[in-house]
Amino acid sequence: MRIRDYLGITSRRQRQASRVMTFAMVGIFAIGIERGSTGVIVNTGVGLLVTQLPPILERDFGITLDPGLTLWITSAVFLHAVGVLGLPGSEVNFYASVPGWDHVTHALSSSLVAAVGYTTVRALDRHSDEIHLPPRFVFVFILLFVLAFGVVWEVIEFTITLVAEATGNATILTQYGLEDTMLDLVFDTIGAVVVAIWGTAHLTDAVGYVEEWLETRTG
């Protein structure tokens, strides 16, 4: 089953939605430059680079992602960019002013991390007869993989915040306390569980492409 079957919209509409969000992020990037906001510039710039991963994978590795996967990736970085920007004329961004915005973006982003982990291990499992990964192992691996990534991310956020405070500069990532960190990890886990349960149905094509790429590289 492809993601478009689950979303109930055509591949063409999914591509259009991805392009609209990408163009919107270019606008957000320009606003960041106009405001002189390092946080908006860096976060949106990184997001724009991430949106270029699907065309790079297709051009350099022959891996064509389903439009739904591209929309999934674009949505995650788009919501993050919007969250950093906030309302026009406001000093407070959506992460600080909209309850749950941080948790939604964490769940969506962690689901992407989980998808990468799932696609990789399933492709290796199918590619090599010497590797056998039972479904239960894959489930646990995805959870641990995402939680490890989430902990590293929180450490990065904490470190950047401390450095910004020590140097008197604006931070590009903000940590809002221990409770917020714990909730972030909870929503990271939710994103991982969703992929671990439904990954087989919606990431089959991606696994197949990675498996084919591995076969071309190993002969």
Side-chain angles (χ1 to χ4, degrees):
M1 179 184 291
R2 289 175 178 267
I3 288 182
R4 66 166 176 262
D5 299 325
Y6 180 75
L7 295 175
I9 57 178
T10 64
S11 296
R12 180 169 175 267
R13 292 298 183 191
Q14 291 178 44
R15 293 190 185 95
Q16 289 175 340
S18 296
R19 292 192 189 103
V20 168
M21 285 188 284
T22 300
F23 288 138
M25 288 175 62
V26 173
I28 293 172
F29 185 80
I31 292 173
I33 295 175
E34 188 274 330
R35 294 182 181 179
S37 173
T38 304
V40 173
I41 293 171
V42 172
N43 285 281
T44 307
V46 171
L48 287 170
L49 290 176
V50 172
T51 62
Q52 298 309 303
L53 286 177
I56 289 174
L57 288 173
E58 182 173 2
R59 183 192 65 201
D60 296 345
F61 301 99
I63 300 175
T64 304
L65 296 185
D66 181 87
L69 288 175
T70 301
L71 180 59
W72 187 1
I73 294 169
T74 307
S75 297
V77 294
F78 172 73
L79 288 177
H80 177 62
V82 172
V84 172
L85 179 66
L87 292 172
S90 174
E91 294 290 331
V92 182
N93 62 34
F94 285 163
Y95 276 115
S97 62
V98 178
W101 189 282
D102 188 27
H103 307 318
V104 170
T105 57
H106 263 273
L108 192 55
S109 298
S110 67
S111 69
L112 286 176
V113 175
V116 171
Y118 174 85
T119 300
T120 302
V121 297
R122 283 291 294 132
L124 289 171
D125 185 24
R126 289 169 47 172
H127 169 69
S128 175
D129 294 334
E130 298 178 357
I131 299 176
H132 174 64
L133 304 176
R136 290 184 180 179
F137 172 84
V138 174
F139 186 92
V140 173
F141 169 81
I142 291 173
L143 291 182
L144 294 178
F145 180 71
V146 171
L147 284 175
F149 189 91
V151 170
V152 171
W153 180 261
E154 296 299 330
V155 171
I156 291 173
E157 279 190 347
F158 180 72
T159 303
I160 289 176
T161 300
L162 286 182
V163 171
E165 291 176 352
T167 58
N169 296 315
T171 183
I172 60 174
L173 294 171
T174 304
Q175 197 168 53
Y176 297 101
L178 180 59
E179 181 180 353
D180 178 74
T181 297
M182 293 299 99
L183 283 173
D184 285 346
L185 292 175
V186 169
F187 280 87
D188 287 346
T189 304
I190 292 173
V193 169
V194 169
V195 173
I197 294 175
W198 285 288
T200 301
H202 303 297
L203 294 171
T204 303
D205 289 347
V207 171
Y209 283 124
V210 174
E211 182 185 8
E212 290 177 6
W213 181 80
L214 288 172
E215 289 177 353
T216 60
R217 292 299 182 276
T218 60

